[in-house]
Amino acid sequence: MVAPPAWNRSSEPFAELFSATAIATRVAELGAQITADYANREGDIVVIGVLKGSIFFLADLVRHIAAPIILDFIGISSYGDATVSSGVVRITQDLSRPIEGKHVIVVEDIVDTGHTVHYLLENLATRRPASIALCSLLHKPERSERETKIDYLGFTIPNKFVVGYGLDISQQYRNLPFIGYVQGA
Ligand code: 5GP
């Protein structure tokens, strides 16, 4: 249990799942793994961050990928401001460039039911990239409704609605340095 930061509007304590140090260690490992896997690939590597939740993870991760990469972003909406999956997924902001013939690494914050990445990967595949890999910081297997192959996974988590390190509830808590959940949530 960690005290919420002084600026936090909620007085509820957080249960910490992963400290900033534990996250940094795991992210460095994922970056090293990606570096090794892509060392001999010809062609451009495009790392696509799924807005907004993945941006902290992406920023840390790419600094551990020792290869030339291009960054791009895609906006996906699946939840609105609620914490329950609506099953409705749409692109709210598209990539800035075509990905045809490129090696694409999609960086997500969390795979929950799997609907979002399923839709996203199918959509990106129609754009004929040379390859697509999925990198997700978190996975909640208990909630899975779609079989999802995660090529690079940070942590598996229990069925809790987590916040911090990019993840939000109603746009709050993204800037917590650790990942946790509001006690009682
Ligand atoms: P899925 O389509 O896999 O059910 O949901 C994926 C999206 O739902 C994630 O990209 C994230 O925006 C949101 N989400 C799912 N579980 C959580 C959670 O525990 N915490 C937060 N903050 N967002 C979540």
Side-chain angles (χ1 to χ4, degrees), residues 143-161:
R143 299 247 313 151
S144 180
E145 290 176 12
R146 286 284 176 106
E147 199 178 321
T148 310
K149 180 173 170 277
I150 304 174
D151 302 280
Y152 304 97
L153 173 63
F155 304 101
T156 297
I157 62 165
N159 187 9
K160 293 280 183 192
F161 198 83

PDB file of all heavy atoms in Angstrom, residues 143-161:
ATOM      1  N   ARG A 143      -9.913 -11.724 -18.071  1.00  0.00           N
ATOM      2  CA  ARG A 143     -10.978 -10.986 -18.753  1.00  0.00           C
ATOM      3  C   ARG A 143     -11.010 -11.248 -20.263  1.00  0.00           C
ATOM      4  O   ARG A 143     -11.823 -10.688 -20.974  1.00  0.00           O
ATOM      5  CB  ARG A 143     -10.770  -9.487 -18.533  1.00  0.00           C
ATOM      6  CG  ARG A 143     -10.815  -9.076 -17.086  1.00  0.00           C
ATOM      7  CD  ARG A 143     -11.993  -8.219 -16.809  1.00  0.00           C
ATOM      8  NE  ARG A 143     -12.116  -7.180 -17.823  1.00  0.00           N
ATOM      9  CZ  ARG A 143     -13.278  -6.642 -18.174  1.00  0.00           C
ATOM     10  NH1 ARG A 143     -14.389  -7.045 -17.619  1.00  0.00           N
ATOM     11  NH2 ARG A 143     -13.318  -5.689 -19.097  1.00  0.00           N
ATOM     12  N   SER A 144     -10.112 -12.137 -20.707  1.00  0.00           N
ATOM     13  CA  SER A 144      -9.950 -12.334 -22.148  1.00  0.00           C
ATOM     14  C   SER A 144     -11.230 -12.835 -22.828  1.00  0.00           C
ATOM     15  O   SER A 144     -11.850 -13.790 -22.370  1.00  0.00           O
ATOM     16  CB  SER A 144      -8.808 -13.323 -22.380  1.00  0.00           C
ATOM     17  OG  SER A 144      -8.635 -13.512 -23.741  1.00  0.00           O
ATOM     18  N   GLU A 145     -11.616 -12.171 -23.901  1.00  0.00           N
ATOM     19  CA  GLU A 145     -12.763 -12.616 -24.709  1.00  0.00           C
ATOM     20  C   GLU A 145     -12.322 -12.919 -26.135  1.00  0.00           C
ATOM     21  O   GLU A 145     -13.073 -13.507 -26.903  1.00  0.00           O
ATOM     22  CB  GLU A 145     -13.853 -11.523 -24.741  1.00  0.00           C
ATOM     23  CG  GLU A 145     -14.544 -11.356 -23.401  1.00  0.00           C
ATOM     24  CD  GLU A 145     -15.552 -10.212 -23.387  1.00  0.00           C
ATOM     25  OE1 GLU A 145     -15.893  -9.682 -24.461  1.00  0.00           O
ATOM     26  OE2 GLU A 145     -15.983  -9.850 -22.275  1.00  0.00           O
ATOM     27  N   ARG A 146     -11.129 -12.483 -26.493  1.00  0.00           N
ATOM     28  CA  ARG A 146     -10.563 -12.737 -27.815  1.00  0.00           C
ATOM     29  C   ARG A 146      -9.174 -13.318 -27.606  1.00  0.00           C
ATOM     30  O   ARG A 146      -8.395 -12.771 -26.822  1.00  0.00           O
ATOM     31  CB  ARG A 146     -10.385 -11.424 -28.591  1.00  0.00           C
ATOM     32  CG  ARG A 146     -11.635 -10.810 -29.113  1.00  0.00           C
ATOM     33  CD  ARG A 146     -12.089 -11.588 -30.320  1.00  0.00           C
ATOM     34  NE  ARG A 146     -13.359 -11.090 -30.806  1.00  0.00           N
ATOM     35  CZ  ARG A 146     -13.495 -10.354 -31.911  1.00  0.00           C
ATOM     36  NH1 ARG A 146     -12.453 -10.013 -32.606  1.00  0.00           N
ATOM     37  NH2 ARG A 146     -14.686  -9.978 -32.306  1.00  0.00           N
ATOM     38  N   GLU A 147      -8.851 -14.389 -28.315  1.00  0.00           N
ATOM     39  CA  GLU A 147      -7.504 -14.942 -28.201  1.00  0.00           C
ATOM     40  C   GLU A 147      -6.513 -13.931 -28.782  1.00  0.00           C
ATOM     41  O   GLU A 147      -6.706 -13.448 -29.905  1.00  0.00           O
ATOM     42  CB  GLU A 147      -7.418 -16.262 -28.969  1.00  0.00           C
ATOM     43  CG  GLU A 147      -6.245 -17.093 -28.513  1.00  0.00           C
ATOM     44  CD  GLU A 147      -6.183 -18.432 -29.229  1.00  0.00           C
ATOM     45  OE1 GLU A 147      -7.258 -19.023 -29.451  1.00  0.00           O
ATOM     46  OE2 GLU A 147      -5.068 -18.838 -29.579  1.00  0.00           O
ATOM     47  N   THR A 148      -5.512 -13.571 -27.997  1.00  0.00           N
ATOM     48  CA  THR A 148      -4.580 -12.529 -28.422  1.00  0.00           C
ATOM     49  C   THR A 148      -3.153 -13.017 -28.241  1.00  0.00           C
ATOM     50  O   THR A 148      -2.776 -13.415 -27.137  1.00  0.00           O
ATOM     51  CB  THR A 148      -4.782 -11.256 -27.571  1.00  0.00           C
ATOM     52  OG1 THR A 148      -6.160 -10.928 -27.550  1.00  0.00           O
ATOM     53  CG2 THR A 148      -3.989 -10.087 -28.139  1.00  0.00           C
ATOM     54  N   LYS A 149      -2.377 -12.985 -29.317  1.00  0.00           N
ATOM     55  CA  LYS A 149      -0.958 -13.351 -29.218  1.00  0.00           C
ATOM     56  C   LYS A 149      -0.170 -12.081 -28.900  1.00  0.00           C
ATOM     57  O   LYS A 149      -0.121 -11.162 -29.724  1.00  0.00           O
ATOM     58  CB  LYS A 149      -0.489 -13.960 -30.539  1.00  0.00           C
ATOM     59  CG  LYS A 149       0.971 -14.359 -30.527  1.00  0.00           C
ATOM     60  CD  LYS A 149       1.315 -15.118 -31.804  1.00  0.00           C
ATOM     61  CE  LYS A 149       2.809 -15.315 -31.940  1.00  0.00           C
ATOM     62  NZ  LYS A 149       3.503 -14.151 -32.513  1.00  0.00           N
ATOM     63  N   ILE A 150       0.394 -12.038 -27.707  1.00  0.00           N
ATOM     64  CA  ILE A 150       1.205 -10.878 -27.325  1.00  0.00           C
ATOM     65  C   ILE A 150       2.671 -11.286 -27.474  1.00  0.00           C
ATOM     66  O   ILE A 150       3.156 -12.161 -26.760  1.00  0.00           O
ATOM     67  CB  ILE A 150       0.903 -10.439 -25.876  1.00  0.00           C
ATOM     68  CG1 ILE A 150      -0.593 -10.151 -25.721  1.00  0.00           C
ATOM     69  CG2 ILE A 150       1.734  -9.207 -25.500  1.00  0.00           C
ATOM     70  CD1 ILE A 150      -1.043  -9.851 -24.303  1.00  0.00           C
ATOM     71  N   ASP A 151       3.357 -10.665 -28.429  1.00  0.00           N
ATOM     72  CA  ASP A 151       4.744 -11.069 -28.709  1.00  0.00           C
ATOM     73  C   ASP A 151       5.693 -10.613 -27.614  1.00  0.00           C
ATOM     74  O   ASP A 151       6.659 -11.294 -27.286  1.00  0.00           O
ATOM     75  CB  ASP A 151       5.180 -10.476 -30.058  1.00  0.00           C
ATOM     76  CG  ASP A 151       4.259 -10.922 -31.181  1.00  0.00           C
ATOM     77  OD1 ASP A 151       4.445 -12.048 -31.653  1.00  0.00           O
ATOM     78  OD2 ASP A 151       3.338 -10.164 -31.546  1.00  0.00           O
ATOM     79  N   TYR A 152       5.431  -9.441 -27.045  1.00  0.00           N
ATOM     80  CA  TYR A 152       6.272  -8.901 -25.967  1.00  0.00           C
ATOM     81  C   TYR A 152       5.350  -8.416 -24.858  1.00  0.00           C
ATOM     82  O   TYR A 152       4.581  -7.479 -25.058  1.00  0.00           O
ATOM     83  CB  TYR A 152       7.141  -7.745 -26.487  1.00  0.00           C
ATOM     84  CG  TYR A 152       7.988  -8.153 -27.671  1.00  0.00           C
ATOM     85  CD1 TYR A 152       7.560  -7.877 -28.969  1.00  0.00           C
ATOM     86  CD2 TYR A 152       9.180  -8.857 -27.492  1.00  0.00           C
ATOM     87  CE1 TYR A 152       8.312  -8.281 -30.066  1.00  0.00           C
ATOM     88  CE2 TYR A 152       9.932  -9.258 -28.580  1.00  0.00           C
ATOM     89  CZ  TYR A 152       9.500  -8.969 -29.863  1.00  0.00           C
ATOM     90  OH  TYR A 152      10.248  -9.382 -30.941  1.00  0.00           O
ATOM     91  N   LEU A 153       5.423  -9.086 -23.702  1.00  0.00           N
ATOM     92  CA  LEU A 153       4.515  -8.760 -22.600  1.00  0.00           C
ATOM     93  C   LEU A 153       5.309  -8.360 -21.359  1.00  0.00           C
ATOM     94  O   LEU A 153       6.243  -9.056 -20.955  1.00  0.00           O
ATOM     95  CB  LEU A 153       3.630  -9.972 -22.274  1.00  0.00           C
ATOM     96  CG  LEU A 153       2.737  -9.835 -21.034  1.00  0.00           C
ATOM     97  CD1 LEU A 153       1.720  -8.715 -21.209  1.00  0.00           C
ATOM     98  CD2 LEU A 153       2.032 -11.152 -20.731  1.00  0.00           C
ATOM     99  N   GLY A 154       4.904  -7.218 -20.765  1.00  0.00           N
ATOM    100  CA  GLY A 154       5.560  -6.767 -19.542  1.00  0.00           C
ATOM    101  C   GLY A 154       5.155  -7.609 -18.341  1.00  0.00           C
ATOM    102  O   GLY A 154       5.962  -8.348 -17.780  1.00  0.00           O
ATOM    103  N   PHE A 155       3.874  -7.523 -17.987  1.00  0.00           N
ATOM    104  CA  PHE A 155       3.386  -8.213 -16.787  1.00  0.00           C
ATOM    105  C   PHE A 155       1.977  -8.752 -16.997  1.00  0.00           C
ATOM    106  O   PHE A 155       1.162  -8.100 -17.659  1.00  0.00           O
ATOM    107  CB  PHE A 155       3.297  -7.245 -15.594  1.00  0.00           C
ATOM    108  CG  PHE A 155       4.565  -6.535 -15.242  1.00  0.00           C
ATOM    109  CD1 PHE A 155       4.761  -5.211 -15.640  1.00  0.00           C
ATOM    110  CD2 PHE A 155       5.549  -7.158 -14.483  1.00  0.00           C
ATOM    111  CE1 PHE A 155       5.911  -4.526 -15.291  1.00  0.00           C
ATOM    112  CE2 PHE A 155       6.710  -6.483 -14.126  1.00  0.00           C
ATOM    113  CZ  PHE A 155       6.897  -5.161 -14.528  1.00  0.00           C
ATOM    114  N   THR A 156       1.703  -9.892 -16.378  1.00  0.00           N
ATOM    115  CA  THR A 156       0.337 -10.398 -16.282  1.00  0.00           C
ATOM    116  C   THR A 156      -0.239  -9.896 -14.965  1.00  0.00           C
ATOM    117  O   THR A 156       0.439  -9.927 -13.946  1.00  0.00           O
ATOM    118  CB  THR A 156       0.349 -11.944 -16.298  1.00  0.00           C
ATOM    119  OG1 THR A 156       0.873 -12.357 -17.558  1.00  0.00           O
ATOM    120  CG2 THR A 156      -1.034 -12.524 -16.119  1.00  0.00           C
ATOM    121  N   ILE A 157      -1.502  -9.406 -15.002  1.00  0.00           N
ATOM    122  CA  ILE A 157      -2.086  -8.844 -13.772  1.00  0.00           C
ATOM    123  C   ILE A 157      -3.424  -9.503 -13.446  1.00  0.00           C
ATOM    124  O   ILE A 157      -4.076 -10.057 -14.327  1.00  0.00           O
ATOM    125  CB  ILE A 157      -2.281  -7.307 -13.867  1.00  0.00           C
ATOM    126  CG1 ILE A 157      -3.248  -6.929 -14.998  1.00  0.00           C
ATOM    127  CG2 ILE A 157      -0.954  -6.598 -14.017  1.00  0.00           C
ATOM    128  CD1 ILE A 157      -3.748  -5.497 -14.904  1.00  0.00           C
ATOM    129  N   PRO A 158      -3.838  -9.419 -12.163  1.00  0.00           N
ATOM    130  CA  PRO A 158      -5.153  -9.940 -11.784  1.00  0.00           C
ATOM    131  C   PRO A 158      -6.270  -9.040 -12.312  1.00  0.00           C
ATOM    132  O   PRO A 158      -6.005  -7.972 -12.880  1.00  0.00           O
ATOM    133  CB  PRO A 158      -5.119  -9.921 -10.248  1.00  0.00           C
ATOM    134  CG  PRO A 158      -4.076  -8.916  -9.901  1.00  0.00           C
ATOM    135  CD  PRO A 158      -3.090  -8.894 -11.027  1.00  0.00           C
ATOM    136  N   ASN A 159      -7.499  -9.454 -12.100  1.00  0.00           N
ATOM    137  CA  ASN A 159      -8.653  -8.715 -12.629  1.00  0.00           C
ATOM    138  C   ASN A 159      -8.958  -7.483 -11.777  1.00  0.00           C
ATOM    139  O   ASN A 159      -9.931  -7.463 -11.013  1.00  0.00           O
ATOM    140  CB  ASN A 159      -9.862  -9.647 -12.698  1.00  0.00           C
ATOM    141  CG  ASN A 159     -11.034  -8.991 -13.394  1.00  0.00           C
ATOM    142  OD1 ASN A 159     -10.894  -7.909 -13.975  1.00  0.00           O
ATOM    143  ND2 ASN A 159     -12.177  -9.629 -13.324  1.00  0.00           N
ATOM    144  N   LYS A 160      -8.099  -6.480 -11.891  1.00  0.00           N
ATOM    145  CA  LYS A 160      -8.261  -5.202 -11.182  1.00  0.00           C
ATOM    146  C   LYS A 160      -8.177  -4.087 -12.207  1.00  0.00           C
ATOM    147  O   LYS A 160      -7.444  -4.218 -13.189  1.00  0.00           O
ATOM    148  CB  LYS A 160      -7.129  -4.996 -10.175  1.00  0.00           C
ATOM    149  CG  LYS A 160      -7.147  -5.961  -9.019  1.00  0.00           C
ATOM    150  CD  LYS A 160      -8.160  -5.520  -7.995  1.00  0.00           C
ATOM    151  CE  LYS A 160      -8.157  -6.436  -6.780  1.00  0.00           C
ATOM    152  NZ  LYS A 160      -9.331  -6.170  -5.924  1.00  0.00           N
ATOM    153  N   PHE A 161      -8.870  -2.996 -11.984  1.00  0.00           N
ATOM    154  CA  PHE A 161      -8.762  -1.852 -12.890  1.00  0.00           C
ATOM    155  C   PHE A 161      -7.583  -1.005 -12.446  1.00  0.00           C
ATOM    156  O   PHE A 161      -7.634  -0.334 -11.407  1.00  0.00           O
ATOM    157  CB  PHE A 161     -10.051  -1.036 -12.923  1.00  0.00           C
ATOM    158  CG  PHE A 161     -10.104  -0.156 -14.125  1.00  0.00           C
ATOM    159  CD1 PHE A 161     -10.535  -0.653 -15.346  1.00  0.00           C
ATOM    160  CD2 PHE A 161      -9.679   1.165 -14.058  1.00  0.00           C
ATOM    161  CE1 PHE A 161     -10.556   0.152 -16.481  1.00  0.00           C
ATOM    162  CE2 PHE A 161      -9.690   1.981 -15.186  1.00  0.00           C
ATOM    163  CZ  PHE A 161     -10.125   1.468 -16.395  1.00  0.00           C
TER     164      PHE A 161
END
